[in-house]
Amino acid sequence: FEVGELIGERRAWDRIVKAETTRENASEVRRAFNIYTTNLNFNPEKYVYSGSAEEKKRMIREDKMPTAVDVIRSDLDARDLYRK
């Protein structure tokens, strides 16, 4: 590895962090999303379905229950869209 590359990557990371901190200071919603996202602990094997019992039964019968990965991806994608 090259020391110069590491220094460049560190500078780039520092710029990203500084820019995001500036955006967080301008938006409490953005700050809340970032705090929430940072503190998430995902289990790719399971999740809790929060819809109605009837809807859950229908989705199971039709084999349309989302996987844990689908739920996580959807949640994070929605959060990124809202931020933009």
Side-chain angles (χ1 to χ4, degrees):
F1 69 91
E2 293 292 326
V3 174
E5 286 180 32
L6 291 176
I7 292 171
E9 288 178 15
R10 180 62 190 190
R11 284 183 183 151
W13 178 252
D14 288 344
R15 281 193 303 270
I16 290 169
V17 169
K18 184 177 179 181
E20 186 59 27
T21 301
T22 301
R23 287 190 291 269
E24 280 184 358
N25 290 336
S27 170
E28 291 198 19
V29 171
R30 183 181 206 91
R31 185 177 320 125
F33 276 151
N34 284 344
I35 291 169
Y36 172 77
T37 303
T38 299
N39 291 312
L40 285 175
N41 292 310
F42 292 119
N43 180 342
E45 302 301 319
K46 67 179 182 174
Y47 66 93
V48 176
Y49 181 75
S50 60
S52 69
E54 293 79 25
E55 185 179 17
K56 182 177 181 180
K57 289 176 187 175
R58 181 184 54 77
M59 291 177 78
I60 290 171
R61 280 194 295 273
E62 296 173 3
D63 196 30
K64 293 187 177 180
M65 286 295 287
T67 65
V69 173
D70 293 336
V71 172
I72 293 165
R73 184 177 296 125
S74 174
D75 183 56
L76 294 175
D77 287 348
R79 197 171 321 236
D80 284 341
L81 286 173
Y82 184 83
R83 285 181 181 146
K84 292 177 183 178

Coordinates of all heavy atoms in Angstrom, one line a residue:
F1 N 0.8 -1.2 0.0 CA 0.0 0.0 0.0 C 0.9 1.2 0.0 O 2.0 1.2 0.4 CB -1.0 0.0 1.2 CG -0.3 0.2 2.5 CD1 -0.2 1.5 3.0 CD2 0.1 -0.9 3.3 CE1 0.4 1.7 4.3 CE2 0.7 -0.7 4.5 CZ 0.9 0.6 5.0
E2 N 0.3 2.3 -0.5 CA 1.0 3.6 -0.5 C 0.5 4.5 0.6 O -0.7 4.7 0.8 CB 0.8 4.2 -1.9 CG 1.4 3.5 -3.1 CD 2.9 3.5 -3.1 OE1 3.5 4.5 -2.6 OE2 3.5 2.5 -3.5
V3 N 1.5 5.1 1.3 CA 1.1 6.0 2.3 C 0.3 7.2 1.8 O -0.7 7.6 2.4 CB 2.4 6.5 3.1 CG1 2.0 7.6 4.1 CG2 3.1 5.3 3.7
G4 N 0.7 7.7 0.6 CA 0.0 8.8 0.0 C -1.5 8.5 -0.3 O -2.3 9.3 -0.1
E5 N -1.7 7.2 -0.7 CA -3.1 6.8 -0.9 C -3.9 6.8 0.4 O -5.1 7.3 0.4 CB -3.2 5.4 -1.5 CG -2.7 5.3 -2.9 CD -2.8 3.9 -3.5 OE1 -3.7 3.1 -3.0 OE2 -2.0 3.6 -4.3
L6 N -3.3 6.3 1.5 CA -4.0 6.3 2.8 C -4.3 7.7 3.2 O -5.4 8.0 3.7 CB -3.2 5.6 3.8 CG -3.1 4.1 3.6 CD1 -2.1 3.5 4.7 CD2 -4.4 3.4 3.7
I7 N -3.4 8.6 3.0 CA -3.6 10.0 3.4 C -4.7 10.7 2.6 O -5.6 11.3 3.1 CB -2.3 10.8 3.3 CG1 -1.2 10.3 4.3 CG2 -2.5 12.3 3.5 CD1 0.1 10.9 4.2
G8 N -4.7 10.4 1.3 CA -5.8 10.9 0.4 C -7.1 10.4 0.8 O -8.1 11.1 0.8
E9 N -7.2 9.1 1.1 CA -8.5 8.5 1.6 C -8.9 9.1 2.9 O -10.1 9.3 3.1 CB -8.3 7.0 1.7 CG -8.2 6.3 0.4 CD -8.0 4.8 0.5 OE1 -8.2 4.2 1.6 OE2 -7.6 4.1 -0.5
R10 N -8.0 9.3 3.8 CA -8.4 9.9 5.1 C -8.9 11.3 4.9 O -9.9 11.7 5.5 CB -7.1 9.9 6.0 CG -7.4 10.5 7.3 CD -8.4 9.7 8.1 NE -8.8 10.4 9.3 CZ -9.6 9.9 10.2 NH1 -10.0 8.7 10.1 NH2 -9.9 10.6 11.2
R11 N -8.2 12.1 4.0 CA -8.7 13.5 3.7 C -10.1 13.4 3.1 O -11.0 14.2 3.5 CB -7.7 14.2 2.8 CG -6.5 14.6 3.5 CD -5.6 15.4 2.5 NE -4.4 15.7 3.2 CZ -3.2 15.9 2.6 NH1 -3.1 15.8 1.3 NH2 -2.1 16.2 3.3
A12 N -10.3 12.5 2.2 CA -11.6 12.4 1.6 C -12.7 12.0 2.6 O -13.8 12.6 2.6 CB -11.6 11.3 0.4
W13 N -12.4 11.1 3.5 CA -13.3 10.7 4.5 C -13.6 11.9 5.5 O -14.8 12.1 5.8 CB -12.8 9.5 5.3 CG -13.7 9.1 6.5 CD1 -13.4 9.3 7.8 CD2 -14.9 8.5 6.4 NE1 -14.5 8.9 8.5 CE2 -15.4 8.4 7.7 CE3 -15.7 8.1 5.3 CZ2 -16.7 7.8 7.9 CZ3 -16.9 7.5 5.6 CH2 -17.4 7.4 6.9
D14 N -12.6 12.6 5.8 CA -12.8 13.8 6.7 C -13.7 14.8 6.0 O -14.5 15.4 6.7 CB -11.4 14.4 7.1 CG -10.6 13.6 8.0 OD1 -11.2 12.7 8.7 OD2 -9.4 13.8 8.1
R15 N -13.5 15.0 4.7 CA -14.4 16.0 4.0 C -15.9 15.5 4.0 O -16.8 16.3 4.2 CB -13.9 16.1 2.5 CG -12.8 17.1 2.4 CD -12.6 17.5 0.9 NE -12.3 16.4 0.1 CZ -11.2 15.8 -0.2 NH1 -10.1 16.3 0.3 NH2 -11.1 14.8 -1.0
I16 N -16.1 14.2 3.8 CA -17.4 13.6 3.9 C -18.0 13.8 5.2 O -19.2 14.2 5.4 CB -17.4 12.1 3.5 CG1 -17.0 12.0 2.0 CG2 -18.7 11.4 3.8 CD1 -16.7 10.5 1.6
V17 N -17.3 13.5 6.3 CA -17.8 13.6 7.7 C -18.1 15.1 7.9 O -19.2 15.4 8.5 CB -16.8 13.1 8.7 CG1 -17.2 13.5 10.1 CG2 -16.6 11.6 8.5
K18 N -17.3 16.0 7.5 CA -17.5 17.4 7.8 C -18.8 17.9 7.1 O -19.6 18.6 7.6 CB -16.3 18.3 7.3 CG -16.4 19.7 7.7 CD -15.2 20.5 7.3 CE -15.4 22.0 7.6 NZ -14.2 22.8 7.2
A19 N -18.9 17.5 5.8 CA -20.1 17.9 5.0 C -21.4 17.3 5.7 O -22.4 18.0 5.7 CB -20.0 17.4 3.6
E20 N -21.3 16.1 6.1 CA -22.5 15.5 6.7 C -22.8 16.2 8.0 O -24.0 16.4 8.4 CB -22.3 14.0 6.9 CG -23.6 13.3 7.4 CD -24.8 13.4 6.5 OE1 -24.6 13.6 5.3 OE2 -25.9 13.4 7.0
T21 N -21.8 16.5 8.8 CA -22.0 17.2 10.1 C -22.7 18.6 9.8 O -23.6 19.0 10.5 CB -20.7 17.4 10.8 OG1 -20.1 16.1 11.1 CG2 -20.9 18.1 12.1
T22 N -22.3 19.3 8.8 CA -22.9 20.6 8.4 C -24.3 20.4 8.0 O -25.2 21.1 8.5 CB -22.1 21.2 7.2 OG1 -20.7 21.4 7.6 CG2 -22.7 22.5 6.8
R23 N -24.6 19.3 7.3 CA -26.0 19.1 6.9 C -26.9 18.7 8.1 O -28.0 19.1 8.2 CB -26.1 18.0 5.8 CG -25.6 18.4 4.5 CD -25.9 17.4 3.4 NE -25.1 16.2 3.5 CZ -23.9 16.0 2.9 NH1 -23.4 17.0 2.1 NH2 -23.3 14.9 3.0
E24 N -26.2 17.9 9.0 CA -27.0 17.5 10.3 C -27.3 18.8 11.1 O -28.4 18.9 11.7 CB -26.1 16.6 11.1 CG -26.2 15.2 10.7 CD -25.4 14.3 11.6 OE1 -24.8 14.8 12.6 OE2 -25.4 13.0 11.4
N25 N -26.4 19.7 11.2 CA -26.6 20.9 11.9 C -27.7 21.8 11.4 O -28.4 22.5 12.1 CB -25.3 21.8 12.1 CG -24.3 21.1 13.0 OD1 -24.6 20.3 13.8 ND2 -23.0 21.4 12.7
A26 N -28.0 21.6 10.1 CA -29.0 22.4 9.4 C -30.4 21.7 9.4 O -31.4 22.3 9.2 CB -28.6 22.7 7.9
S27 N -30.4 20.4 9.8 CA -31.6 19.6 9.7 C -31.7 18.7 10.9 O -30.9 17.7 11.0 CB -31.7 18.9 8.4 OG -32.8 18.0 8.5
E28 N -32.6 18.9 11.8 CA -32.8 18.0 12.9 C -33.3 16.6 12.5 O -33.0 15.6 13.1 CB -33.7 18.6 14.0 CG -33.1 19.8 14.7 CD -33.7 20.1 16.0 OE1 -34.4 19.3 16.5 OE2 -33.5 21.2 16.4
V29 N -34.1 16.6 11.4 CA -34.6 15.3 10.9 C -33.4 14.5 10.4 O -33.4 13.3 10.6 CB -35.6 15.6 9.7 CG1 -36.0 14.3 9.0 CG2 -36.9 16.3 10.3
R30 N -32.5 15.1 9.6 CA -31.4 14.4 9.1 C -30.5 13.9 10.3 O -30.1 12.7 10.3 CB -30.5 15.3 8.2 CG -29.3 14.6 7.6 CD -28.5 15.7 6.8 NE -27.8 15.0 5.7 CZ -28.3 14.7 4.5 NH1 -29.5 15.1 4.2 NH2 -27.6 14.1 3.7
R31 N -30.3 14.7 11.3 CA -29.6 14.3 12.5 C -30.2 13.1 13.1 O -29.6 12.1 13.5 CB -29.4 15.4 13.5 CG -28.5 15.0 14.6 CD -28.3 16.2 15.6 NE -28.1 17.5 15.0 CZ -28.9 18.6 15.3 NH1 -29.8 18.5 16.2 NH2 -28.7 19.7 14.6
A32 N -31.6 13.1 13.3 CA -32.3 12.0 13.9 C -32.2 10.7 13.1 O -31.9 9.6 13.6 CB -33.8 12.4 14.1
F33 N -32.3 10.8 11.7 CA -32.1 9.7 10.9 C -30.7 9.1 11.0 O -30.5 7.9 11.1 CB -32.4 10.0 9.4 CG -33.8 10.0 9.0 CD1 -34.3 10.8 8.0 CD2 -34.7 9.1 9.6 CE1 -35.6 10.8 7.6 CE2 -36.0 9.1 9.3 CZ -36.5 9.9 8.2
N34 N -29.7 10.0 11.1 CA -28.3 9.5 11.2 C -28.1 8.8 12.5 O -27.4 7.7 12.6 CB -27.3 10.6 11.0 CG -27.2 11.0 9.5 OD1 -27.6 10.2 8.6 ND2 -26.6 12.1 9.3
I35 N -28.6 9.3 13.6 CA -28.5 8.7 14.9 C -29.2 7.4 14.9 O -28.6 6.3 15.3 CB -29.0 9.6 16.0 CG1 -28.1 10.8 16.2 CG2 -29.2 8.9 17.3 CD1 -28.7 11.9 17.0
Y36 N -30.4 7.3 14.4 CA -31.2 6.1 14.3 C -30.4 5.0 13.5 O -30.3 3.9 13.9 CB -32.5 6.4 13.7 CG -33.4 5.1 13.4 CD1 -34.0 4.5 14.4 CD2 -33.5 4.6 12.1 CE1 -34.8 3.3 14.2 CE2 -34.2 3.5 11.9 CZ -34.9 2.9 12.9 OH -35.6 1.8 12.6
T37 N -29.9 5.4 12.3 CA -29.2 4.5 11.4 C -28.0 4.0 12.1 O -27.6 2.8 12.0 CB -28.9 5.1 10.1 OG1 -30.1 5.6 9.5 CG2 -28.2 4.2 9.1
T38 N -27.2 4.8 12.7 CA -26.0 4.4 13.4 C -26.2 3.4 14.5 O -25.4 2.5 14.7 CB -25.3 5.7 14.0 OG1 -25.0 6.6 13.0 CG2 -24.0 5.3 14.7
N39 N -27.4 3.5 15.2 CA -27.6 2.6 16.3 C -28.4 1.4 15.9 O -28.8 0.6 16.8 CB -28.4 3.4 17.4 CG -27.5 4.4 18.0 OD1 -26.3 4.1 18.4 ND2 -27.9 5.6 18.2
L40 N -28.7 1.2 14.7 CA -29.5 0.0 14.3 C -28.6 -1.3 14.4 O -27.4 -1.2 14.1 CB -29.9 0.1 12.8 CG -31.1 1.0 12.5 CD1 -31.3 1.1 11.0 CD2 -32.3 0.6 13.2
N41 N -29.2 -2.3 14.8 CA -28.6 -3.6 14.9 C -29.5 -4.6 14.1 O -30.6 -4.9 14.5 CB -28.5 -4.1 16.3 CG -27.5 -3.3 17.1 OD1 -26.4 -3.1 16.6 ND2 -27.9 -2.8 18.3
F42 N -29.0 -5.0 12.9 CA -29.8 -5.8 12.1 C -29.5 -7.3 12.3 O -28.4 -7.7 12.5 CB -29.5 -5.5 10.6 CG -30.0 -4.2 10.2 CD1 -29.1 -3.2 9.7 CD2 -31.3 -3.9 10.2 CE1 -29.6 -2.0 9.3 CE2 -31.8 -2.6 9.8 CZ -30.9 -1.7 9.4
N43 N -30.6 -8.1 12.3 CA -30.4 -9.6 12.3 C -31.0 -10.0 10.9 O -32.2 -10.0 10.7 CB -31.2 -10.2 13.4 CG -31.1 -11.7 13.5 OD1 -30.7 -12.3 12.5 ND2 -31.4 -12.3 14.6
P44 N -30.1 -10.5 10.0 CA -30.5 -10.9 8.7 C -31.4 -12.1 8.7 O -31.9 -12.5 7.7 CB -29.2 -11.1 7.9 CG -28.2 -11.4 9.0 CD -28.7 -10.7 10.2
E45 N -31.6 -12.8 9.8 CA -32.4 -14.0 9.9 C -33.8 -13.8 10.3 O -34.7 -14.6 10.1 CB -31.7 -15.0 10.9 CG -30.3 -15.3 10.6 CD -30.2 -16.0 9.2 OE1 -31.0 -16.8 8.8 OE2 -29.2 -15.6 8.5
K46 N -34.1 -12.6 10.9 CA -35.5 -12.4 11.4 C -35.8 -10.9 11.5 O -35.0 -10.1 11.6 CB -35.7 -13.1 12.7 CG -35.0 -12.5 13.9 CD -35.3 -13.2 15.2 CE -34.6 -12.5 16.3 NZ -34.9 -13.1 17.6
Y47 N -37.1 -10.6 11.5 CA -37.7 -9.3 11.8 C -39.1 -9.5 12.3 O -39.7 -10.5 12.2 CB -37.6 -8.4 10.5 CG -38.6 -8.9 9.4 CD1 -39.9 -8.4 9.3 CD2 -38.2 -9.8 8.5 CE1 -40.7 -8.8 8.3 CE2 -39.0 -10.3 7.5 CZ -40.3 -9.7 7.4 OH -41.1 -10.2 6.4
V48 N -39.6 -8.4 12.9 CA -41.0 -8.4 13.4 C -41.9 -7.8 12.4 O -41.7 -6.6 12.0 CB -41.0 -7.7 14.8 CG1 -42.5 -7.6 15.3 CG2 -40.1 -8.4 15.8
Y49 N -42.9 -8.5 12.0 CA -43.9 -7.9 11.0 C -44.9 -7.1 11.8 O -45.5 -7.6 12.8 CB -44.6 -9.1 10.3 CG -45.6 -8.6 9.3 CD1 -45.2 -8.0 8.1 CD2 -46.9 -8.7 9.5 CE1 -46.1 -7.6 7.2 CE2 -47.9 -8.2 8.6 CZ -47.4 -7.7 7.4 OH -48.4 -7.2 6.5
S50 N -45.2 -5.9 11.3 CA -46.0 -5.0 12.1 C -47.4 -4.8 11.5 O -48.2 -4.0 11.9 CB -45.3 -3.7 12.4 OG -45.1 -3.1 11.1
G51 N -47.7 -5.5 10.4 CA -49.0 -5.3 9.7 C -50.1 -6.1 10.4 O -49.8 -6.8 11.5
S52 N -51.3 -6.1 9.9 CA -52.4 -6.8 10.5 C -52.2 -8.3 10.3 O -51.5 -8.8 9.5 CB -53.7 -6.4 9.9 OG -53.8 -6.9 8.5
A53 N -52.9 -9.1 11.2 CA -52.8 -10.5 11.2 C -53.4 -11.1 9.9 O -52.8 -12.0 9.3 CB -53.6 -11.1 12.4
E54 N -54.4 -10.4 9.4 CA -55.0 -10.9 8.1 C -54.1 -10.7 6.9 O -54.0 -11.5 6.1 CB -56.4 -10.1 7.9 CG -57.5 -10.4 8.8 CD -57.3 -9.7 10.2 OE1 -56.7 -8.6 10.2 OE2 -57.8 -10.2 11.2
E55 N -53.5 -9.5 6.9 CA -52.5 -9.2 5.9 C -51.3 -10.2 5.9 O -50.9 -10.7 4.9 CB -52.0 -7.8 6.0 CG -51.1 -7.4 4.8 CD -50.7 -5.9 5.0 OE1 -50.8 -5.4 6.1 OE2 -50.2 -5.4 4.0
K56 N -50.9 -10.5 7.1 CA -49.7 -11.4 7.3 C -50.1 -12.8 6.8 O -49.3 -13.4 6.0 CB -49.3 -11.5 8.7 CG -48.1 -12.4 9.0 CD -47.7 -12.3 10.4 CE -46.5 -13.2 10.7 NZ -46.1 -13.2 12.1
K57 N -51.3 -13.3 7.1 CA -51.8 -14.6 6.7 C -51.8 -14.6 5.1 O -51.4 -15.6 4.5 CB -53.1 -14.9 7.3 CG -53.1 -15.2 8.7 CD -54.5 -15.4 9.3 CE -54.5 -15.5 10.8 NZ -55.8 -15.6 11.3
R58 N -52.4 -13.6 4.5 CA -52.5 -13.5 3.1 C -51.1 -13.5 2.4 O -50.9 -14.3 1.5 CB -53.3 -12.2 2.7 CG -53.5 -12.1 1.2 CD -54.1 -10.8 0.8 NE -53.4 -9.6 1.3 CZ -52.3 -9.1 0.8 NH1 -51.7 -9.7 -0.2 NH2 -51.8 -8.0 1.3
M59 N -50.2 -12.8 3.0 CA -48.9 -12.7 2.4 C -48.2 -14.1 2.5 O -47.4 -14.5 1.6 CB -48.1 -11.6 3.0 CG -48.6 -10.2 2.7 SD -47.6 -8.9 3.5 CE -46.2 -8.9 2.5
I60 N -48.4 -14.8 3.6 CA -47.8 -16.1 3.8 C -48.3 -17.1 2.8 O -47.6 -17.8 2.1 CB -47.9 -16.6 5.3 CG1 -47.1 -15.7 6.2 CG2 -47.6 -18.1 5.4 CD1 -47.3 -16.0 7.7
R61 N -49.7 -17.1 2.7 CA -50.3 -18.0 1.7 C -49.9 -17.7 0.3 O -49.7 -18.6 -0.5 CB -51.8 -17.8 1.8 CG -52.5 -18.5 2.9 CD -54.0 -18.7 2.7 NE -54.7 -17.4 2.8 CZ -55.1 -16.7 3.9 NH1 -54.9 -17.3 5.0 NH2 -55.7 -15.6 3.8
E62 N -49.7 -16.5 -0.1 CA -49.2 -16.1 -1.4 C -47.7 -16.1 -1.6 O -47.2 -15.7 -2.6 CB -49.8 -14.7 -1.8 CG -51.3 -14.7 -1.9 CD -51.9 -13.3 -2.1 OE1 -51.1 -12.4 -2.2 OE2 -53.1 -13.2 -2.1
D63 N -47.0 -16.5 -0.5 CA -45.5 -16.5 -0.5 C -44.9 -15.2 -0.9 O -44.0 -15.1 -1.7 CB -45.0 -17.6 -1.4 CG -43.6 -18.0 -1.2 OD1 -43.1 -17.8 0.0 OD2 -42.8 -18.3 -2.1
K64 N -45.5 -14.1 -0.3 CA -45.0 -12.7 -0.6 C -44.4 -12.0 0.6 O -44.2 -10.8 0.6 CB -46.2 -11.9 -1.1 CG -46.7 -12.4 -2.5 CD -47.7 -11.5 -3.1 CE -48.1 -11.9 -4.5 NZ -49.1 -11.0 -5.1
M65 N -44.1 -12.8 1.7 CA -43.5 -12.1 2.8 C -42.1 -11.7 2.4 O -41.3 -12.4 1.9 CB -43.4 -13.1 4.0 CG -44.7 -13.3 4.7 SD -45.4 -11.9 5.5 CE -44.4 -11.7 6.9
P66 N -41.7 -10.4 2.8 CA -40.4 -10.0 2.4 C -39.3 -10.6 3.4 O -39.7 -11.0 4.5 CB -40.4 -8.5 2.7 CG -41.6 -8.3 3.7 CD -42.5 -9.4 3.4
T67 N -38.2 -10.8 2.8 CA -37.1 -11.3 3.7 C -36.6 -10.2 4.6 O -36.8 -9.0 4.3 CB -35.9 -11.8 2.8 OG1 -35.3 -10.7 2.1 CG2 -36.4 -12.9 1.8
A68 N -35.8 -10.6 5.6 CA -35.2 -9.6 6.4 C -34.3 -8.6 5.7 O -34.3 -7.4 5.9 CB -34.4 -10.3 7.6
V69 N -33.6 -9.1 4.7 CA -32.7 -8.3 3.8 C -33.6 -7.3 3.1 O -33.2 -6.1 2.9 CB -31.9 -9.2 2.9 CG1 -31.1 -8.3 1.9 CG2 -30.9 -10.0 3.7
D70 N -34.7 -7.7 2.5 CA -35.6 -6.8 1.8 C -36.1 -5.7 2.7 O -36.2 -4.5 2.3 CB -36.8 -7.6 1.2 CG -36.5 -8.6 0.2 OD1 -35.4 -8.4 -0.5 OD2 -37.3 -9.5 0.0
V71 N -36.4 -6.0 3.9 CA -37.0 -5.0 4.9 C -35.9 -4.0 5.2 O -36.1 -2.8 5.2 CB -37.5 -5.7 6.1 CG1 -37.8 -4.7 7.2 CG2 -38.7 -6.6 5.8
I72 N -34.7 -4.5 5.5 CA -33.6 -3.6 5.8 C -33.2 -2.7 4.7 O -33.1 -1.5 4.8 CB -32.3 -4.4 6.2 CG1 -32.6 -5.2 7.5 CG2 -31.1 -3.6 6.3 CD1 -31.6 -6.3 7.9
R73 N -33.1 -3.3 3.5 CA -32.8 -2.5 2.3 C -33.9 -1.4 2.0 O -33.5 -0.3 1.7 CB -32.7 -3.4 1.0 CG -32.2 -2.7 -0.2 CD -32.1 -3.6 -1.4 NE -31.0 -4.5 -1.1 CZ -31.1 -5.9 -1.2 NH1 -32.3 -6.4 -1.5 NH2 -30.1 -6.6 -1.0
S74 N -35.1 -1.8 2.1 CA -36.2 -0.8 1.9 C -36.1 0.3 2.9 O -36.3 1.5 2.5 CB -37.5 -1.6 2.0 OG -38.6 -0.7 1.9
D75 N -35.9 0.0 4.2 CA -35.8 1.0 5.2 C -34.7 2.0 4.9 O -34.9 3.2 5.0 CB -35.7 0.3 6.6 CG -35.7 1.3 7.7 OD1 -36.7 2.1 7.8 OD2 -34.7 1.4 8.5
L76 N -33.5 1.5 4.6 CA -32.4 2.3 4.4 C -32.5 3.1 3.1 O -32.2 4.3 3.0 CB -31.1 1.5 4.4 CG -30.7 0.9 5.7 CD1 -29.5 0.0 5.6 CD2 -30.5 1.9 6.8
D77 N -33.1 2.5 2.1 CA -33.4 3.2 0.8 C -34.3 4.4 1.0 O -34.1 5.5 0.5 CB -33.9 2.3 -0.3 CG -32.8 1.4 -0.8 OD1 -31.6 1.6 -0.5 OD2 -33.2 0.4 -1.6
A78 N -35.4 4.1 1.8 CA -36.4 5.2 2.0 C -35.7 6.3 2.8 O -36.0 7.5 2.5 CB -37.6 4.6 2.8
R79 N -34.9 6.0 3.8 CA -34.2 7.0 4.5 C -33.3 7.9 3.7 O -33.2 9.1 3.8 CB -33.4 6.3 5.6 CG -33.0 7.2 6.7 CD -32.4 6.3 7.8 NE -33.2 5.1 7.8 CZ -33.8 4.6 8.9 NH1 -33.6 5.2 10.0 NH2 -34.6 3.6 8.8
D80 N -32.5 7.2 2.8 CA -31.6 7.9 1.9 C -32.4 8.9 0.9 O -32.0 10.0 0.7 CB -30.8 7.0 1.0 CG -29.7 6.4 1.9 OD1 -29.3 7.0 2.9 OD2 -29.1 5.3 1.5
L81 N -33.6 8.4 0.4 CA -34.4 9.2 -0.5 C -34.9 10.4 0.3 O -35.0 11.5 -0.3 CB -35.6 8.4 -1.0 CG -35.2 7.4 -2.1 CD1 -36.4 6.5 -2.5 CD2 -34.7 8.1 -3.4
Y82 N -35.3 10.2 1.5 CA -35.8 11.4 2.3 C -34.8 12.4 2.5 O -35.0 13.6 2.5 CB -36.4 10.9 3.6 CG -37.0 12.0 4.4 CD1 -38.4 12.4 4.1 CD2 -36.3 12.7 5.4 CE1 -38.9 13.4 4.8 CE2 -36.9 13.7 6.1 CZ -38.2 14.1 5.8 OH -38.8 15.1 6.5
R83 N -33.5 11.9 2.8 CA -32.4 12.8 3.0 C -32.1 13.7 1.8 O -31.7 14.8 1.9 CB -31.2 12.1 3.4 CG -31.2 11.5 4.8 CD -29.9 10.8 5.1 NE -30.0 10.2 6.4 CZ -29.4 9.1 6.8 NH1 -28.7 8.4 5.9 NH2 -29.5 8.7 8.0
K84 N -32.3 13.1 0.6 CA -31.9 13.9 -0.6 C -33.1 14.8 -0.9 O -33.0 15.8 -1.4 CB -31.7 12.9 -1.7 CG -30.4 12.1 -1.5 CD -30.2 11.1 -2.6 CE -29.0 10.2 -2.2 NZ -28.7 9.2 -3.2

